[in-house]
Amino acid sequence: MLENRKYVIIGVFCLVAVAYLARLFYLQVLDDTYSLGASKNSIKRVIEIPYRGQIYDRNNKLIVYNTPVYDLYVTPKQVRIPDTAAFCRMMDITQSDFDSVMGLAKNYSPVKPSLFLRQLSKEDFARIQDALVDYRGFEPVISSMRTYPAHTMANALGYVSEISKKRLEEQDIPYYRQGDYVGHNGLEEQYEEQLRGKRGVKFMMQNVRGVNKGSWKNGAYDTLAVAGQNLITGIDVEVQRYADSLMQNKVGAVLAVEPSTGEILVSVSAPTYDPNLLSSRFFSKNYRALIKNPYKPLINRPIMASYRPGSTFKLIQALVAQQQGSLFPNTVYGHAGSPMRCHCHGGNNLRGAVQNSCNPYFYYVFRKFLYFNGEHNTFKASAIGLKQWHDMAEKFGIGSKLGVDLPSELKGNLPTPEYYDKAYRGALRWKFSNVYSLSIGEGELLISPLKLVNLAATVANRGWYITPHYIKGFDKAGDGLPTEYRERHETGIEYKYYLPVIDGMRGAVAHGTVTPLANIEGIDLCGKTGTSQNAKFGHKFDHSIFIGFAPMNDPKIAVAVFVENAGWGGKAAASVAALVAERYLKRKTEAKKLEEQVLASNYMPPASSLITPKKPAPSKKDTTQKAAKPFMTSTKPKSTTTMGAISGN
């Protein structure tokens, strides 16, 4: 019995010994974890940055590509510079810049490489390459820089720059490191994940002096970098550049959309800048200059600017009133009794009212809409009617974000009864006479050029739209297009109600409020002019607006144009829109006289008028006064008091 117990104990010890030996064999022979950790001082982990995806237009023309450049890294402990002044002259930097960068590098780590100079061109690197052998501690690393051959679409494209500290700290899944480049604003930010690709890792052996001795374990643990996906946009870069030229010496926006797909064909924010300015190592200097520019070229006006839509909003008034049943195509209104002035003669039906942009006509259309609910209390009737009006207008994408594939889209303002309840400090304290400026697109309405081009596309489609978007696909058209850019949005307005409105829009271009030269033969342009109130802000002229589409019965392009401080919508904005539509449809410009006029026109306000003077600091006597409240928070809306002087065309 004791003999058997002895063998059991010996067996247990043998099993434990075998287990230990097996574990030691695994750790020392099979597993490289500890080997890699022990050799970290002799094995260098090199991150391979992938090439960022390129950006193309709808015709596969390059808009953005990558140019190879060199980044120069420094390891402070290894640095040997016999003549600092000569070194600074060679690098084309100042002594103070050198001291600053070296100080930052030493604070980061004396023994690890950190960035010394970024984005040296091939020519610059070739100039210093041979001389670098005399300066220990500096190592070049090949990189890439975004290049913009078309020199256009700066605001929509965005730019690529070093990741901010805040964004670095807010990462949900750690990916970026200090010094990494990421997309900012525009498409570069919107599609950062697809464009950036996937980084790779290489393990390199090096001796005690840091000299590379080849790949570790023949690259068994290396991973290859995967290039980012190429982004195909719906932009027509030829028409885009032509629209840029038309907006020289002007402030505003031009947007064009393909109605059947919602693809954005043209996106101009004026004044603009060359996107290459923000892709060089002089980024900081150029960015500061753009920030200080009084014309605000960094603002992406197509999606970030808010304007009153003016008479272009009459299209929505005509459509929702017909759907409600309070308006018919043969309904005629005169000017009698209207507080609004108008340039045309009274007695228009719906087609004539759209063609001539008759203010009194739409004053009566809006009034009847609000009181059509049968409520006898005028205060309550206005609230009920305005709620119905708001809900119907909202289906055109007004008053909320459309969802364009760019960051920073503003939603604008489509007033609700609650909005006026707050403005007038209580429900049932306002009525139609307080809000009638909405009838011609003024008052508290705020809208972006994006919303108006979407309205033009909706009318062109006779009742539906696809959310405007820049993307056409990744690597090829249609590949990876998000589902939200395939979905049709219905307005709830019947097809038949669009027909008299479109007839009026065609009449506006052919013999209405649009300058005759903009009625270009062969494109069959339909449109609506608008003039957005602006004089109250100290400017001499209002904003010129035009929206339209062409051809009339087979729409291929919808256009919206804003030209700030240009006055009448039928001249400045309509002329630009007509030329853009012609260039897209015909691929050439035949309306040379109109083009000559547009190119020669200059509506740029003096830079001095755009700089807001600083208010003097309040005196001690003023310190007890309450701060002024913003417009519309505690006072009655002011815009309705001046409607008699508005033309609205």
Side-chain angles (χ1 to χ4, degrees):
M1 188 71 178
L2 291 174
E3 190 71 20
N4 291 337
R5 186 178 298 175
K6 180 178 71 173
Y7 288 119
V8 170
I9 294 172
I10 292 172
V12 169
F13 276 100
C14 288
L15 286 173
V16 171
V18 169
Y20 272 105
L21 288 172
R23 180 62 177 164
L24 287 171
F25 177 80
Y26 174 77
L27 292 176
Q28 294 186 19
V29 179
L30 300 180
D31 186 13
D32 286 314
T33 303
Y34 291 95
S35 173
L36 180 60
S39 60
K40 64 182 178 180
N41 292 322
S42 61
I43 296 174
K44 184 178 180 182
R45 186 172 181 265
V46 180
I47 300 295
E48 281 200 328
I49 304 298
Y51 274 103
R52 196 170 177 87
Q54 301 182 136
I55 302 179
Y56 293 82
D57 85 337
R58 67 190 301 107
N59 300 311
N60 290 319
K61 292 182 179 178
L62 263 177
I63 302 176
V64 186
Y65 68 90
N66 303 298
T67 298
V69 292
Y70 292 87
D71 294 337
L72 194 61
Y73 284 80
V74 61
T75 305
K77 194 171 183 179
Q78 299 176 4
V79 169
R80 298 291 183 273
I81 302 178
D83 188 344
T84 304
F87 179 80
C88 290
R89 285 195 299 271
M90 182 183 75
M91 292 294 180
D92 194 22
I93 59 174
T94 64
Q95 179 75 45
S96 61
D97 288 339
F98 172 83
D99 293 338
S100 175
V101 174
M102 288 301 295
L104 291 172
K106 288 176 183 176
N107 288 336
Y108 168 66
S109 172
V111 296
K112 293 181 180 180
S114 59
L115 186 66
F116 179 79
L117 205 57
R118 191 185 288 279
Q119 293 180 338
L120 289 167
S121 67
K122 289 186 292 183
E123 292 77 15
D124 287 337
F125 180 68
R127 179 175 55 81
I128 67 171
Q129 186 175 12
D130 292 338
L132 272 180
V133 297
D134 297 328
Y135 300 97
R136 284 184 53 193
F138 292 91
E139 178 188 9
V141 176
I142 194 165
S143 181
S144 64
M145 179 179 75
R146 296 300 252 181
T147 304
Y148 306 85
H151 305 276
T152 188
M153 269 182 71
N155 300 89
L157 291 172
Y159 56 90
V160 176
S161 67
E162 190 172 338
I163 189 169
S164 66
K165 183 179 179 181
K166 181 180 179 183
R167 188 166 175 182
L168 197 63
E169 293 172 348
E170 291 178 350
Q171 294 182 86
D172 293 329
I173 301 173
Y175 177 84
Y176 298 105
R177 304 166 304 155
Q178 180 123 16
D180 279 353
Y181 267 29
V182 296
H184 291 273
N185 299 330
L187 296 173
E188 294 280 16
E189 179 177 333
Q190 185 74 23
Y191 296 110
E192 164 68 16
E193 189 174 338
Q194 294 86 350
L195 289 169
R196 76 187 182 193
K198 186 178 180 181
R199 62 163 55 102
V201 179
K202 280 188 176 182
F203 294 96
M204 304 295 294
M205 293 188 298
Q206 59 183 17
N207 63 17
V208 291
R209 296 180 180 275
V211 178
N212 285 338
K213 293 296 182 179
S215 179
W216 185 64
K217 291 212 169 183
N218 296 318
Y221 293 91
D222 295 352
T223 56
L224 294 175
V226 179
Q229 293 178 277
N230 293 329
L231 174 63
I232 313 298
T233 70
I235 294 293
D236 188 320
V237 76
E238 179 190 336
V239 184
Q240 170 74 28
R241 295 181 69 179
Y242 180 66
D244 277 338
S245 70
L246 297 176
M247 290 298 288
Q248 289 291 317
N249 299 315
K250 302 170 185 67
V251 179
V254 180
L255 269 175
V257 165
E258 185 177 60
S260 61
T261 64
E263 292 171 7
I264 294 175
L265 305 168
V266 172
S267 179
V268 175
S269 181
T272 186
Y273 60 94
D274 186 343
N276 290 293
L277 289 173
L278 299 184
S279 67
S280 70
R281 59 193 175 101
F282 304 107
F283 169 86
S284 297
K285 175 184 174 183
N286 294 335
Y287 189 80
R288 284 195 298 270
L290 290 170
I291 286 261
K292 293 177 181 177
N293 189 317
Y295 295 102
K296 308 298 182 186
L298 289 173
I299 294 177
N300 189 10
R301 286 177 169 82
I303 67 166
M304 296 175 68
S306 289
Y307 304 96
R308 290 165 170 166
S311 291
T312 60
F313 202 80
K314 293 172 182 176
L315 301 178
I316 291 181
Q317 305 286 30
L319 292 166
V320 299
Q322 286 184 91
Q323 184 67 38
Q324 185 198 44
S326 59
L327 176 66
F328 300 94
N330 58 356
T331 301
V332 175
Y333 287 119
H335 290 180
S338 169
M340 296 183 176
R341 284 169 30 182
C342 189
H343 65 285
C344 73
H345 300 292
N348 290 292
N349 61 13
L350 178 55
R351 288 176 174 84
V354 173
Q355 173 183 314
N356 298 308
S357 195
C358 181
N359 291 331
Y361 188 94
F362 287 95
Y363 165 85
Y364 287 116
V365 167
F366 188 53
R367 187 176 72 169
K368 189 167 184 180
F369 185 103
L370 262 58
Y371 292 144
F372 195 67
N373 54 67
E375 175 62 51
H376 297 294
N377 183 315
T378 56
F379 292 97
K380 192 172 182 180
S382 295
I384 295 172
L386 190 70
K387 178 66 168 68
Q388 184 184 9
W389 171 84
H390 173 277
D391 293 346
M392 295 179 78
E394 193 176 36
K395 291 184 179 179
F396 287 84
I398 312 298
S400 59
K401 292 184 179 181
L402 278 173
V404 67
D405 49 344
L406 286 185
S408 306
E409 179 192 355
L410 298 183
K411 70 176 187 176
N413 188 45
L414 182 65
T416 61
E418 293 76 19
Y419 182 91
Y420 289 110
D421 289 345
K422 185 177 180 180
Y424 286 89
R425 298 181 180 180
L428 303 184
R429 297 187 65 179
W430 56 273
K431 54 185 176 179
F432 176 72
S433 59
N434 302 115
V435 300
Y436 67 74
S437 56
L438 299 176
S439 64
I440 60 169
E442 294 291 345
E444 293 68 49
L445 274 169
L446 287 176
I447 203 166
S448 66
L450 178 72
K451 303 288 181 59
L452 280 189
V453 78
N454 189 60
L455 172 59
T458 302
V459 177
N461 291 331
R462 279 69 167 170
W464 59 271
Y465 68 89
I466 294 175
T467 301
H469 54 280
Y470 290 84
I471 184 175
K472 196 175 178 70
F474 290 105
D475 296 322
K476 62 180 182 180
D479 183 24
L481 181 67
T483 55
E484 59 264 34
Y485 300 135
R486 303 177 189 267
E487 179 185 356
R488 279 175 48 151
H489 300 272
E490 302 288 342
T491 61
I493 308 296
E494 292 181 48
Y495 179 94
K496 63 183 180 180
Y497 297 136
Y498 285 89
L499 303 183
V501 172
I502 291 172
D503 287 342
M505 293 174 71
R506 178 62 194 138
V509 177
H511 37 74
T513 54
V514 174
T515 181
L517 285 177
N519 184 26
I520 300 173
E521 185 179 354
I523 69 170
D524 208 18
L525 179 66
C526 302
K528 182 72 193 73
T529 57
T531 306
S532 179
Q533 251 195 330
N534 186 46
K536 64 175 285 186
F537 298 105
H539 296 287
K540 185 177 180 181
F541 297 107
D542 292 330
H543 299 323
S544 175
I545 312 173
F546 179 87
I547 67 171
F549 60 88
M552 179 178 180
N553 294 315
D554 185 20
K556 294 290 192 300
I557 182 173
V559 190
V561 178
F562 279 74
V563 183
E564 295 186 14
N565 312 304
W568 178 38
K571 178 65 174 176
S575 299
V576 172
L579 289 168
V580 169
E582 182 195 31
R583 176 60 69 94
Y584 180 72
L585 295 172
K586 295 183 177 181
R587 312 309 299 176
K588 60 182 179 180
T589 299
E590 295 176 348
K592 294 296 184 181
K593 186 174 180 181
L594 180 64
E595 181 186 53
E596 183 181 337
Q597 287 184 3
V598 171
L599 293 174
S601 59
N602 186 337
Y603 299 110
M604 293 285 279
S608 58
S609 69
L610 303 175
I611 300 174
T612 305
K614 293 183 179 180
K615 294 182 179 180
S619 63
K620 292 183 179 180
K621 293 181 180 180
D622 297 328
T623 55
T624 57
Q625 294 179 359
K626 293 183 178 179
K629 294 185 178 180
F631 173 60
M632 284 304 299
T633 58
S634 62
T635 58
K636 293 183 180 181
K638 300 176 182 178
S639 57
T640 54
T641 61
T642 58
M643 285 297 106
I646 295 176
S647 65
N649 297 325

